[in-house]
Amino acid sequence: CRRLQLLHPFLEHATDATPEGIRRLGDKYGYSPEQAARADARVREIIELFGSVLREQRARGHDFFVGSTLSAVDLYWAPFAAMIEPLAPEQCPMSDYLRASYTLGPEQGRELVDPILLEHRDRIYREYLSLPLDF
């Protein structure tokens, strides 16, 4: 869903001049204006759900999404969160253009991002994944 949001500005009014790579990505992810609109709602739902789950877990004394130990959810969340707010430039070098594109905007649900979600992402990278990222 987040990928559909990223592609929407490029494909909403696609022409023959739209880069082929962008059009292929749109096909791969099932882009349509209707799907992009549904993606906005789904991204909001996921962000709210993940924030509330992590808050509930912390209230129980757990630092992970599921139970008291690291799980696939924690490991998948960390890289996914880069499409909400990329890691700092020294941890994840990328062009300013890409950084801006990957940062979730207010029209896409930014206000719903509980700081606990990005704190969790940072901790998972620090303790379980390697930094800086290298592409």
Side-chain angles (χ1 to χ4, degrees), residues 58-133:
R58 292 276 173 93
R60 292 184 185 113
H62 302 304
D63 289 330
F64 302 99
F65 277 108
V66 180
S68 60
T69 60
L70 182 71
S71 73
V73 178
D74 302 292
L75 294 173
Y76 285 127
W77 169 255
F80 171 80
M83 291 196 299
I84 292 172
E85 181 178 305
L87 291 162
E90 61 275 5
Q91 296 172 323
C92 181
M94 62 173 45
S95 71
D96 291 342
Y97 173 76
L98 277 178
R99 185 169 296 282
S101 295
Y102 272 65
T103 301
L104 190 70
E107 68 284 356
Q108 299 161 325
R110 178 61 190 200
E111 77 282 358
L112 302 173
V113 179
D114 189 321
I116 198 171
L117 292 170
L118 299 177
E119 291 165 12
H120 184 73
R121 172 206 62 191
D122 293 346
R123 186 176 66 79
I124 295 302
Y125 267 106
R126 225 178 16 257
E127 296 178 14
Y128 301 98
L129 300 171
S130 53
L131 288 170
L133 299 179

Side-chain angles (χ1 to χ4, degrees), residues 8-92:
H8 183 64
F10 301 102
L11 293 173
E12 180 179 23
H13 303 290
T15 67
D16 289 341
T18 303
E20 179 61 29
I22 297 290
R23 286 186 280 162
R24 273 197 311 266
L25 283 173
D27 291 342
K28 178 178 180 178
Y29 295 114
Y31 175 82
S32 71
E34 297 78 25
Q35 286 294 83
R38 283 193 281 278
D40 286 344
R42 186 67 180 135
V43 167
R44 289 171 177 274
E45 290 171 9
I46 291 167
I47 289 170
E48 285 183 308
L49 173 65
F50 274 49
S52 71
V53 166
L54 201 51
R55 285 257 171 228
E56 289 172 14
Q57 282 290 96
R58 292 276 173 93
R60 292 184 185 113
H62 302 304
D63 289 330
F64 302 99
F65 277 108
V66 180
S68 60
T69 60
L70 182 71
S71 73
V73 178
D74 302 292
L75 294 173
Y76 285 127
W77 169 255
F80 171 80
M83 291 196 299
I84 292 172
E85 181 178 305
L87 291 162
E90 61 275 5
Q91 296 172 323
C92 181

